[in-house]
């Protein structure tokens, strides 16, 4: 990771000092990195005496709610989906907006919050690690792709601030735990996107007292049985692997209901087929209202990001991306998803452009 600009951190601190009310936001369907980064920054800003709230498009998934167990977080994390009135008021009244783990105000990344975010007149600070940021939206941008996670980028920024004086041990304990959670989930527990700086961060957070065993237990050993049963069914009955080395699994709403699957329960399914030697890219598609949610993961040499951008209305990182397939714009219905995936991934893997050239 390139080092953080001291000048930019000074600007971040001045903007923070000048703001009376601060809102932190992240992307729709927040994952561990989004929730972890928001909480870590919130705890640090609180420690610096600021009034701060977290406003998200969707609420915190149950699987991550253990991070909110501190008396403050649950009350100060609201979502547009669950409480549009409070979310609107907080965003409209804030003097400074932090945007974490996303970098555009698109409908697919911000859903219900997108129009509100676009209309804010306050300063906006970006802290993010995705490709292709829309820098015109931000007063100040920390945008770095050679880093494991937004949590890690935030960690290195925080170490440059007077709030920590360069020492991880001065982070509030809940902030340190949240940073470790964000980095751990985005690296898939150190399986990908691990940089030397990532291990340095992990080491310092451990020294600072983060209980990693307990964190891993909360993140990975608390699933509902239904999640594992559904994964078993999908791997056994539904996984297809094309001759181009593309694995895909599609799950429709009826099956999700049959298994009692909640938001966040299918997180990580897309990674599993990538462990098969001949698989170069893995696609996981999940039916939603009027579209299918698409997750893509690829091995080095295949760009999941380009495939998501060209064929699935999305983007993300080079080897981990996501997007959507709209019904009926892209496909007539969920039954046509398999045919679509086979067609476009064949084109993609064989280097043909979308226009056929
Ligand atoms: P996931 O497959 O875990 O949902 O997402 C993988 C990566 O792709 C994440 O870094 C996420 O930010 C990005 N991503 C997921 N969905 C979308 C989308 O609809 N649009 C864009 N631009 N990126 C997405
Ligand atoms: Mn992230």
């Amino acid at each position: 990771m390139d080092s953080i600009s001291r000048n930019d951190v000074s600007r971040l601190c001045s903007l923070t000092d000048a703001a009376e009310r601060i809102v932190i936001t992240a992307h729709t369907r927040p994952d561990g990195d989004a929730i972890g980064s928001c909480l870590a920054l919130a705890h640090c800003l609180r420690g610096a005496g600021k009034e701060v709230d977290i406003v998200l498009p969707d609420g915190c998934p149950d699987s991550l709610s253990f991070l909110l167990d501190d008396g403050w977080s649950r009350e100060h994390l609201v979502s547009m989906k669950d409480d549009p009135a409070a979310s609107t008021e907080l965003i409209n009244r804030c003097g400074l907006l932090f945007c974490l783990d996303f970098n555009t105000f698109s409908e697919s990344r911000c859903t219900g919050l997108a129009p509100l975010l676009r209309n804010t007149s306050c300063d906006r600070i970006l802290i993010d690690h995705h490709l292709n940021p829309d820098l015109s939206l931000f007063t100040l941008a920390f945008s770095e792709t050679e880093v494991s996670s937004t949590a890690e980028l935030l960690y290195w920024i925080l170490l440059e601030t007077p709030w920590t004086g360069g020492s991880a041990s001065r982070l509030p304990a809940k902030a340190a735990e949240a940073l470790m959670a964000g980095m751990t989930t985005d690296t898939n527990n150190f399986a990908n996107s691990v940089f030397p700086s990532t291990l340095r961060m992990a080491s310092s957070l451990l020294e600072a007292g983060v209980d990693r065993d307990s964190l891993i237990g909360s993140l990975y050993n608390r699933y509902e049985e239904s999640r594992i049963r559904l994964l078993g069914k999908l791997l056994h009955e539904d996984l297809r692997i094309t001759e181009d080395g593309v694995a895909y699994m599609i799950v429709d709403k009826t099956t999700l209901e049959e298994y009692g699957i909640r938001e966040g329960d299918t997180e990580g399914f897309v990674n599993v087929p990538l462990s098969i030697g001949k698989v170069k890219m893995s696609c996981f598609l999940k039916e939603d209202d009027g579209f299918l949610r698409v997750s893509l993961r690829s091995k080095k040499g295949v760009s999941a990001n380009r495939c998501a951008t060209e064929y699935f209305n999305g983007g993300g990182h080079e080897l981990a991306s996501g997007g959507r397939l709209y019904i009926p714009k892209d496909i007539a219905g969920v039954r046509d998803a398999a045919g679509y995936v086979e067609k476009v991934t064949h084109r993609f893997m064989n280097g043909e452009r979308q226009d056929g050239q």
Side-chain angles (χ1 to χ4, degrees):
M1 189 187 67
D2 287 343
S3 59
I4 308 282
S5 149
R6 292 236 168 100
N7 245 346
D8 285 349
V9 178
S10 296
R11 283 190 70 204
L12 179 149
C13 292
S14 325
L15 288 166
T16 301
D17 286 344
E20 270 191 28
R21 293 165 189 279
I22 300 176
V23 163
I24 306 172
T25 189
H27 57 80
T28 194
R29 290 191 318 120
D31 56 7
D33 194 26
I35 295 284
S37 301
C38 287
L39 287 172
L41 180 58
H43 290 305
C44 290
L45 293 175
R46 282 178 65 214
K50 305 306 296 188
E51 190 167 325
V52 55
D53 289 277
I54 300 169
V55 181
L56 301 174
D58 307 300
C60 179
D62 289 348
S63 53
L64 295 168
S65 61
F66 72 94
L67 291 170
L68 307 181
D69 286 341
D70 57 74
W72 180 88
S73 305
R74 241 174 249 285
E75 270 183 32
H76 291 265
L77 189 154
V78 299
S79 79
M80 192 64 183
K81 194 169 175 190
D82 299 327
D83 195 343
S87 302
T88 305
E89 195 186 336
L90 285 167
I91 296 234
N92 287 340
R93 280 170 52 200
C94 79
L96 178 62
L97 182 71
F98 278 93
C99 298
L100 306 189
D101 204 36
F102 73 111
N103 59 27
T104 63
F105 294 160
S106 64
E107 165 65 25
S108 68
R109 297 304 281 148
C110 314
T111 49
L113 269 191
L116 266 182
L117 295 178
R118 280 187 219 118
N119 286 334
T120 48
S121 54
C122 64
D123 285 307
R124 304 167 182 152
I125 300 180
L126 175 74
I127 302 177
D128 176 63
H129 69 131
H130 293 90
L131 297 163
N132 309 318
D134 183 351
L135 296 176
S136 68
L137 297 172
F138 304 99
T139 316
L140 176 62
F142 296 85
S143 173
E144 176 61 66
T145 55
E146 296 291 297
V147 66
S148 64
S149 52
T150 295
E152 184 190 331
L153 179 55
L154 175 62
Y155 170 83
W156 293 114
I157 294 169
L158 290 169
L159 281 208
E160 294 290 336
T161 65
W163 310 324
T164 64
S167 168
S169 62
R170 283 182 50 197
L171 287 164
K174 282 305 264 184
E177 179 197 37
L179 290 168
M180 185 75 103
M183 178 275 289
T184 299
T185 52
D186 251 29
T187 59
N188 196 9
N189 202 7
F190 293 100
N192 45 257
S193 316
V194 172
F195 295 82
S197 56
T198 315
L199 295 175
R200 283 201 294 275
M201 164 196 182
S203 169
S204 300
L205 289 177
L206 278 181
E207 275 171 2
V210 171
D211 184 346
R212 205 179 138 77
D213 291 342
S214 155
L215 184 63
I216 293 298
S218 299
L219 286 174
Y220 297 114
N221 299 328
R222 249 181 3 124
Y223 292 126
E224 293 292 330
E225 180 181 344
S226 55
R227 168 190 155 97
I228 306 302
R229 298 273 178 212
L230 176 63
L231 178 60
K233 173 211 153 24
L234 290 172
L235 293 174
H236 186 63
E237 295 173 15
D238 302 312
L239 173 66
R240 300 280 176 275
I241 302 176
T242 72
E243 60 185 22
D244 301 305
V246 174
Y248 69 91
M249 298 188 282
I250 300 168
V251 60
D252 60 21
K253 275 189 167 186
T254 316
T255 309
L256 291 169
E257 275 160 30
E258 190 187 319
Y259 279 77
I261 293 298
R262 302 158 315 168
E263 191 64 56
D265 280 350
T266 56
E267 200 74 48
F269 280 16
V270 65
N271 294 311
V272 180
L274 216 56
S275 64
I276 301 168
K278 66 180 174 183
V279 169
K280 297 176 187 144
M281 182 163 74
S282 169
C283 317
F284 178 68
L285 289 85
K286 183 162 108 171
E287 188 182 8
D288 206 313
D289 294 326
F291 64 93
L292 278 86
R293 227 171 255 299
V294 182
S295 284
L296 299 181
R297 299 291 184 273
S298 58
K299 288 181 182 162
K300 221 170 179 174
V302 176
S303 172
N305 175 60
R306 198 161 62 76
C307 188
T309 311
E310 286 185 10
Y311 296 109
F312 295 105
N313 306 295
H317 311 287
E318 186 62 8
L319 305 181
S321 282
R324 291 170 175 214
L325 268 190
Y326 291 101
I327 300 169
K329 180 174 97 45
D330 301 310
I331 51 172
V334 65
R335 281 162 180 244
D336 296 318
Y340 182 92
V341 170
E342 296 227 359
K343 183 179 75 182
V344 301
T345 58
H346 181 67
R347 268 191 214 158
F348 178 72
M349 297 300 285
N350 292 284
E352 295 164 39
R353 290 194 1 218
Q354 199 166 9
D355 54 17
Q357 292 183 318

